[in-house]
Amino acid sequence: MDILNDVSCEKMTFENYDFTDFWDDIDYSLDEYVEEYPSDEMIESVEKELGYKLPESYIWLMKQHNGGITTKSCFPTNEPTTWAEDHIAITGISGIGRKKRYSLCGEFGSQFMIDEWEYPAIGVAICDCPSAGHDMIFLDYRECGPKGEPKVVHVDQEHDYKITHLADTFEEFICGLKDEEFFEDEFDKLSTDLIIDFLSKNTPQERQLLAISWNFDNPKKVIQWIVNQPDTDRGTILYLYWHMSPTFCKNFSDRKECEENESWYLEDYDIINTIEKNWIADFYKNQIYAFNPNNDVYCGGYDWTSEYDKNKVKVKIPDEMFKILDGETLEKPEWEEGIPSDISDIMDKLCDALDD
């Protein structure tokens, strides 16, 4: 949809805000969120059905792009929520209409969340969140009345529908949205860069040592980097693949379903699919290290394939991923959580410096 659709309003809205690349028009967004530009008749009809006058800034934005997933999906908070210590996240913004499932009056629209999920009737639900219904963003009309200028709040079903103030206006809310990377822990960012720099200056053996001692709760960017290097050993790649639970990955028919139902797993889903694509394309040329998914010597001989039943998954694991690789087996290094000992002292000092 055309971001620059020419629409006039009674007052200047979003003055000087750059909407370039604001919307992420992936297929899922176009299928589930994005409506045609709303006519004045449609706006009036939706407002009547909801029982509230929509903010002029909301109407203006929907006349540019009527709902959808945004590239900036996080908003800062002054208190912890079920999503994070310092911010909330949204999946998409509801459009003005009835055709799409996540439109204001769609199948999973505002009234549905109030009637079926028992959210408080404080106004209009305008954004769903990655929790798939367990928290929502509302326009809050409690102070201003149904025709006034509503505040924007976060409502948390998991904490007895706790209401957290986000912004005084919808325009302020939109302008305050941040990229997810904005909220990454500073230590995680710097330590990840430090580890990747260390690996890039050393041999693929260090990647193997890191893999077999890695804590998979650590940031995924290190694994993403390893997977994207053509000289990474095939034994390292196969080890990472099976240790990232590909059987769970195959419970989703595609990325859209994973994002919709288990968004927390999306990074793992992407890495697993990248490995499969690269493996089948013979991207990884070198192989020194052994790995047997039927008998993982690094996990006491565990059989990873025992978790997999091809008749119960939606997508099958490629046959190539069951390959048994002969070769060297390394001793697990005494690296805490997989952090190379050569840089662990530096990371400790980094942590102390950030605390100070």
Side-chain angles (χ1 to χ4, degrees), residues 64-206:
Q64 315 307 305
H65 193 291
N66 196 11
I69 292 173
T70 61
T71 56
K72 296 179 179 180
S73 60
C74 298
F75 193 91
T77 61
N78 294 321
E79 56 187 287
T81 68
T82 50
W83 181 253
E85 291 291 319
D86 58 357
H87 68 281
I88 58 90
I90 65 171
T91 301
I93 302 175
S94 298
I96 299 175
R98 298 182 174 87
K99 292 182 180 180
K100 299 302 175 74
R101 289 206 295 177
Y102 294 102
S103 294
L104 289 180
C105 295
E107 180 184 356
F108 297 146
S110 180
Q111 200 59 45
F112 171 85
M113 301 310 299
I114 294 171
D115 293 342
E116 300 297 327
W117 285 71
E118 300 182 350
Y119 277 88
I122 61 173
V124 180
I126 58 168
C127 301
D128 61 331
C129 299
S131 64
H134 293 283
D135 59 331
M136 298 287 293
I137 308 303
F138 270 74
L139 295 175
D140 182 1
Y141 289 82
R142 289 177 297 172
E143 293 182 13
C144 66
K147 295 185 179 180
E149 182 72 28
K151 292 180 168 56
V152 179
V153 299
H154 174 259
V155 185
D156 192 343
Q157 188 208 42
E158 294 295 307
H159 282 70
D160 196 25
Y161 300 99
K162 176 186 176 184
I163 297 174
T164 301
H165 174 269
L166 299 177
D168 287 336
T169 65
F170 176 75
E171 182 172 350
E172 179 185 327
F173 173 71
I174 293 298
C175 293
L177 287 172
K178 307 289 186 184
D179 292 322
E180 185 176 2
E181 288 75 14
F182 180 87
F183 295 97
E184 284 186 359
D185 182 88
E186 189 66 20
F187 176 75
D188 282 348
K189 283 194 228 177
L190 293 174
S191 61
T192 296
D193 290 343
L194 190 63
I195 296 170
I196 291 175
D197 181 67
F198 170 84
L199 294 176
S200 68
K201 293 176 180 177
N202 284 278
T203 68
Q205 177 174 310
E206 278 70 31

Side-chain angles (χ1 to χ4, degrees), residues 24 27 32 39 48 52 57 67 74-75 122 131 141-143 151 165 174 193 199 204 220 250 254 270 286 332 338 347:
D24 187 6
D27 289 343
E32 304 291 348
S39 64
K48 183 177 180 180
Y52 296 96
S57 56
C74 298
F75 193 91
I122 61 173
S131 64
Y141 289 82
R142 289 177 297 172
E143 293 182 13
K151 292 180 168 56
H165 174 269
I174 293 298
D193 290 343
L199 294 176
K220 297 295 190 297
K250 301 310 176 182
D254 53 28
D270 287 340
N286 304 323
K332 278 191 178 182
M347 292 178 65

Side-chain angles (χ1 to χ4, degrees), residues 253-316:
S253 57
D254 53 28
R255 191 179 192 276
K256 179 174 72 173
E257 183 178 351
C258 177
E259 184 175 24
E260 184 175 358
N261 295 301
E262 303 288 354
S263 59
W264 60 270
Y265 184 70
L266 204 55
E267 280 187 306
D268 297 69
Y269 180 94
D270 287 340
I271 292 172
I272 287 170
N273 280 277
T274 296
I275 289 175
E276 290 179 357
K277 181 188 70 174
N278 288 349
W279 190 276
I280 293 170
D282 200 25
F283 179 76
Y284 308 108
K285 302 295 186 182
N286 304 323
Q287 199 259 305
I288 296 174
Y289 303 113
F291 187 76
N292 182 352
N294 307 113
N295 181 19
D296 183 357
V297 296
Y298 296 107
C299 287
Y302 184 75
D303 181 4
W304 291 99
T305 65
S306 65
E307 301 177 4
Y308 176 68
D309 184 343
K310 65 181 180 181
N311 297 315
K312 293 183 178 180
V313 295
K314 295 182 178 179
V315 178
K316 290 181 173 57

